[in-house]
Amino acid sequence: MPDLPPTLCASPGLRLRTEYFGALGWTIVPRRIFHLGPTATVLAMLYQQPRSTTLCPDALQVVQRRFAFSASAVMGTLEELHTSGVLRATAAEPQPVTADDVHQAADEAETTRPRTKVLKPFWVHLQPFTRCNQHCVTCYCSGGPKADPFLLSPADWLTAIDKLDAYGVLDVYITGGESLLYPAFFDLAEHILRRGLGFGLSTNATILGGGRLERLRNLGYSPIQVSLDGGTPATHEMIRGVPGCWNKTLDGIRVIGEFAEVVINTVVNHINLRELEQVVVTGMDLGVRHFKFFPQKPVGRANPATTLDDATITQTLLPECVRLADRYDVEIESIDPKAGCGSGSIGFAVDQRANIHPCIFGVENPDLVAGNLLTDDLDTVWFQSPVFAPFRGEVATVCRRCEAPCGR
């Protein structure tokens, strides 16, 4: 075993959250995630400050007694934490590791460890607003020009973001509605990025005036998703509910592409299924190389009659995605029949009243409210609300049918 440096401490920016198996550690830049067992968790907690790698005999005895680890196994775990990048060498003056330190860290790890074999959430969709300058027939939340603006203050949403960050959520995505309608959107986005959280941004790219384009540029975020719901002006404008929006969308893609990667997002249904190749060609003409073709969910305004069934998804949509990716040498994302989407099991959604839902496609269903992000204890909601139970079983269909528990 290589000699350990005399002093170790947590790598810069390392964060920890306890899990049922021990803890997850992660760094922000670069994004790396570490799976830590019980002993590694306690050692990572101990070394949040510079400490000597020579544990005093009393401290070693506590580790051995509480974790049935030999002295050599403890040192081996420290070496693994150092090699993996969880801990790093430092020239700072070290603090000794005492028996009391070990007891305190072990007690904290045990007290905060979830008893349910469910991971804490990795991501959250925040929906602070549903107002939009368009009126899409595919909209899952019935957004549009007459929909509600902010029902809570931007300050409330900053508090919500802070709470998610403190809980150990890694990624926070803001959805709507049309995000660029609101100056406060940029305040929320900047707050998320300052805290080092993962972020996602989607727009219809048709309202870039009034200083919005400059604020979007100054945000410094990439990629930016832009909605293009057809390969022809007629289809796109029919789905988006706004005559003349095709050219504005293409202009938006073009100017956003000058400072960020653009990802074209298409909600696929029976109306536009046969136009995906035209979407790819149109996007490529504008410099786009990345596309997302995900099937419509029959919630909100979306018509069940235009929604793809599992057979159409597996036999038509997914093979078409493969064909187009190969033919045009582009990246195309769609659903993975072998995996669930993670809603309710590794992530959740928050509606414009800060109510917590398992899935963003269920935000209109009051029966799927699990709690409230601002007023309830998030740990209690995540691990104890019965609303999440149906979303944590085996995926029985190609695409988790969120509309089944959601209803209409």
Side-chain angles (χ1 to χ4, degrees):
M1 180 183 297
D3 291 335
L4 278 169
T7 306
L8 291 174
C9 69
S11 291
L14 179 76
R15 298 192 58 186
L16 295 172
R17 69 183 201 189
T18 53
E19 299 283 1
Y20 68 88
F21 53 79
L24 282 180
W26 71 97
T27 55
I28 295 170
V29 180
R31 169 66 70 84
R32 297 183 64 195
I33 298 177
F34 308 96
H35 182 289
L36 307 179
T39 305
T41 297
V42 171
L43 291 174
M45 294 170 73
L46 285 169
Y47 283 84
Q48 291 297 298
Q49 59 179 306
R51 291 189 184 272
S52 170
T53 54
T54 302
L55 277 65
C56 70
D58 289 346
L60 275 175
Q61 288 178 7
V62 173
V63 175
Q64 291 168 3
R65 187 165 60 249
R66 294 193 65 153
F67 299 101
F69 255 48
S70 66
S72 61
V74 172
M75 300 311 292
T77 302
L78 271 178
E79 177 61 35
E80 290 172 3
L81 292 174
H82 177 234
T83 302
S84 66
V86 175
L87 303 181
R88 65 175 178 86
T90 177
E93 186 68 25
Q95 297 293 317
V97 179
T98 68
D100 286 343
D101 293 331
V102 176
H103 276 304
Q104 183 177 350
D107 289 345
E108 180 183 350
E110 181 62 21
T111 300
T112 58
R113 178 179 64 85
R115 269 45 182 178
T116 305
K117 290 187 176 182
V118 173
L119 289 168
K120 290 180 179 178
F122 282 79
W123 52 260
V124 170
H125 289 125
L126 288 187
Q127 188 180 53
F129 42 79
T130 58
R131 183 168 291 180
C132 183
N133 62 315
Q134 298 185 343
H135 195 267
C136 302
V137 299
T138 59
C139 186
Y140 64 87
C141 65
S142 303
K146 296 182 179 180
D148 294 321
F150 277 103
L151 298 183
L152 302 176
S153 70
D156 286 331
W157 289 108
L158 292 175
T159 298
I161 292 165
D162 291 344
K163 187 171 183 178
L164 294 172
D165 185 31
Y167 193 61
V169 171
L170 278 69
D171 301 322
V172 177
Y173 309 116
I174 298 179
T175 184
E178 169 52 45
S179 298
L180 302 190
L181 277 175
Y182 298 97
F185 161 77
F186 291 99
D187 299 330
L188 301 183
E190 289 164 356
H191 191 65
I192 290 169
L193 293 170
R194 276 197 303 269
R195 298 189 76 91
L197 296 165
F199 180 62
L201 191 163
S202 182
T203 177
N204 59 45
T206 63
I207 49 168
L208 297 176
R212 297 184 184 96
L213 182 63
E214 193 60 29
R215 290 204 68 177
L216 192 59
R217 186 193 307 270
N218 292 339
L219 193 61
Y221 178 77
S222 181
I224 295 172
Q225 294 187 53
V226 177
S227 297
L228 185 66
D229 283 323
T232 63
T235 299
H236 176 74
E237 293 173 7
M238 185 274 286
I239 289 177
R240 306 302 294 185
V242 179
C245 68
W246 167 268
N247 286 331
K248 287 185 176 180
T249 301
L250 300 192
D251 289 343
I253 292 172
R254 188 176 295 107
V255 296
I256 292 172
E258 294 173 359
F259 58 85
E261 177 192 1
V262 173
V263 177
I264 285 180
N265 183 53
T266 304
V267 179
V268 184
N269 54 28
H270 284 295
I271 300 170
N272 59 16
L273 178 61
R274 303 299 176 183
E275 295 187 13
L276 298 184
E277 184 160 12
Q278 293 163 278
V279 171
V280 170
V281 171
T282 299
M284 290 181 65
D285 287 343
L286 298 169
V288 178
R289 308 292 303 180
H290 189 172
F291 301 82
K292 292 188 175 183
F293 294 156
F294 283 84
Q296 164 186 295
K297 293 285 189 179
V299 292
R301 272 197 302 273
N303 188 340
T306 63
T307 301
L308 308 182
D309 59 18
D310 282 352
T312 305
I313 291 171
T314 56
Q315 298 170 24
T316 304
L317 172 60
L318 296 183
E320 180 70 348
C321 290
V322 172
R323 183 185 75 83
L324 294 175
D326 289 343
R327 177 173 181 180
Y328 293 100
D329 191 24
V330 294
E331 181 179 356
I332 298 178
E333 294 182 50
S334 190
I335 65 167
D336 181 354
K338 299 176 182 178
C341 66
S343 293
S345 58
I346 58 170
F348 61 87
V350 179
D351 70 17
Q352 60 195 123
R353 293 174 174 81
N355 288 327
I356 295 170
H357 300 254
C359 176
I360 192 66
F361 294 110
V363 292
E364 290 198 335
N365 188 346
D367 293 335
L368 286 180
V369 175
N372 187 277
L373 181 57
L374 293 175
T375 61
D376 295 334
D377 175 67
L378 185 50
D379 211 52
T380 300
V381 173
W382 181 250
F383 287 105
Q384 297 182 24
S385 173
V387 172
F388 286 108
F391 292 82
R392 292 175 178 169
E394 292 295 321
V395 179
T397 62
V398 141
C399 179
R400 166 80 75 181
R401 289 299 179 193
C402 300
E403 65 271 17
C406 290
R408 285 184 62 80

